[in-house]
Amino acid sequence: MTRTTTHVWRLLKWGRTLARHGALRGIENDPATPKQVRRIARIARFGLPQPKDPDYAAALQAIGPAAIKLGQTLSTRPDLVGAAAAANLSRLQDNLPPAPFALIRQAIESSFDASLDQLFAEFDPNPIGAASIAQVHKAVTTEGREVAVKVLRPGIEQEFARAIETYEWAAAQTESAGGEVARLRPRLVVAHFKQWTARELDLQREAASASELKENLTAEPGFYVPEIDWRRTARRVLTLEWLPGIKLNDRQALIDAGHNCKDLAAILVRAFLRQAIVDGFFHADLHHGNLFALPDGRIAAIDFGIMGRVDRRARVWLAEILYGLITGNYRRVAEIHFEAQYVPSHHNVDEFATALRAAGEPIRGLPVKDISVGRMLESLFTITRDFEMPTQPHLLLLQKTMVMNEGIATELDPDINMWETADPFLRDWMRTELGPEAYYADRIVDTVRALKKIPDLIDRLDHYYPPPGAAPPPPPLPEIEVIQRPRLGGYALAAIIGGLIAAAAMLLLR
């Protein structure tokens, strides 16, 4: 197990980098930041000039790939890092220098126990993109098909393992302070981040996710998922169909090519709703670099490393929440939150409905371009704090994807109204899922399942059963020793140690 001193040293090194970009100022000034974290932040920036405006994205890019991925995760948590920091972190693009081609060639050949010439007739040694985890090369197979070949960076697994271990340690120290930070559950955030990156580091699982998504979206012909070349796919290498297209953030190029941007925006919204509401399996990394408009007017997606799942019960609640906000039925939305136990039961459902109305009415019916996102987020964060709502980590990916999907759709069609676009889709799905036939079918299934549980229930009366609507079981959290002040000899010894570390940091890290 890594020693505490190693974690502290890594944090100080990263802290110096953060400080050079002014990223520690916001942490220090936030009243919710525990005193211990403020103290470490002050030590880390000791002796460094502070820029006027913090640049969190640039700081994390300088630290490395694991930090970039963590920053992308934190960009979905404005309640944890603040709206301004979340907006800054959303700029992370993973533009990194590529790994030497000799190492890439070695990774491909060792994965298939074959030479590169046996697998591909042509292979461009210069990557078309180099991200934090992998890089992509264009190639032609021996059968003459154009493909994109994604290869993991050499040593990336070990680098992520070291970084995540320290993230877990730091989250445990922070959460132990209690208060507002404990409500935000940073340990679970890091645990989910660890799960997501584990999936991204296995390209064969990514290929399987792409295959499953392609099957699910046969009912949405406007949204295309490329074919996987399974013969040339392994844990460290993914080969898929090459897609010629225009990135969705180049609106003028789309118009010049004859695309209808309003149609593209509608396709994007419908495809996301079908993934999240109907199938419960969705592409959770829908940024501009992963979406293209094909020459025939379809939208194509790539990069299936981060995928999300939502069970049926949660999907029904999600649909009801969205539909309630669309129609202004805030009472029903409030009831769903209490049924799902997202709000502690000692609060009043009517008061919660009133709070939702205060957040929803100012934006309902407006096109996205006329909505103040900052004002909306401020209202929602106030609600979560006032009603002591714990973070729901299993919904983080869905929240992130909804925000990204809305942003891209708005760039394509500034006049789009997301609520109106979603209304008919949600109405039809809810009629199917919540109509009388579905209701009685569900009751029959539930009854049969309940009867099957009776023998086990008698033997295990004290067994803990999750309440209906609760989050899925959280990832296991590692055992981490939390630093106790008495064990450090009190504040005096802590100050001496902190001073020594700061002095060493100034000499070695500048």
Side-chain angles (χ1 to χ4, degrees), residues 87-114:
N88 178 270
L89 289 169
S90 67
R91 295 190 294 104
L92 287 170
Q93 296 296 320
D94 287 4
N95 293 321
L96 299 176
F101 178 65
L103 296 178
I104 297 299
R105 183 186 189 114
Q106 180 182 0
I108 296 173
E109 293 181 339
S110 61
S111 293
F112 303 105
D113 195 22

Side-chain angles (χ1 to χ4, degrees), residues 294-499:
L294 300 179
D296 60 6
R298 292 178 298 171
I299 291 178
I302 59 171
D303 196 354
F304 308 93
I306 304 179
M307 305 294 291
R309 289 193 185 273
V310 185
D311 64 29
R312 182 177 178 276
R313 187 184 297 271
R315 299 201 309 271
V316 170
W317 272 323
L318 174 63
E320 286 199 89
I321 288 172
L322 292 175
Y323 193 69
L325 292 174
I326 291 171
T327 59
N329 190 351
Y330 300 106
R331 169 72 191 198
R332 179 54 189 152
V333 175
E335 290 172 348
I336 294 168
H337 277 75
F338 277 79
E339 290 171 10
Q341 299 189 4
Y342 295 156
V343 183
S345 58
H346 62 268
H347 285 287
N348 182 279
V349 66
D350 292 314
E351 289 296 322
F352 187 68
T354 300
L356 290 174
R357 181 181 295 275
E361 282 300 303
I363 64 173
R364 193 160 66 90
L366 293 177
V368 174
K369 66 176 182 178
D370 294 334
I371 294 175
S372 169
V373 176
R375 179 182 172 189
M376 178 182 66
L377 290 176
E378 182 180 0
S379 298
L380 293 176
F381 299 154
T382 300
I383 291 173
T384 62
R385 183 176 62 250
D386 291 349
F387 288 86
E388 304 171 280
M389 296 171 63
T391 298
Q392 302 297 328
H394 67 297
L395 297 180
L396 290 181
L397 281 177
L398 185 61
Q399 294 167 351
K400 163 194 169 183
T401 308
M402 289 178 71
V403 172
M404 295 175 73
N405 188 81
E406 181 181 64
I408 297 172
T410 304
E411 289 183 15
L412 289 169
D413 179 11
D415 294 320
I416 190 173
N417 186 306
M418 294 290 288
W419 303 121
E420 291 179 358
T421 305
D423 186 353
F425 185 94
L426 292 173
R427 190 190 302 272
D428 291 343
W429 187 80
M430 288 176 63
R431 185 182 298 114
T432 302
E433 292 294 312
L434 303 180
E437 299 88 350
Y439 174 83
Y440 289 113
D442 286 347
R443 298 294 77 75
I444 293 172
V445 171
D446 290 343
T447 301
V448 172
R449 288 176 178 171
L451 290 172
K452 288 182 178 180
K453 291 180 180 178
I454 289 176
D456 185 58
L457 183 62
I458 295 174
D459 295 333
R460 302 172 62 193
L461 289 175
D462 59 343
H463 182 70
Y464 173 74
Y465 286 94
L477 300 179
E479 293 291 334
I480 296 175
E481 185 177 358
V482 177
I483 296 175
Q484 304 293 332
R485 290 196 186 95
R487 295 176 61 189
L488 293 180
Y491 285 108
L493 182 57
I496 293 173
I497 293 174

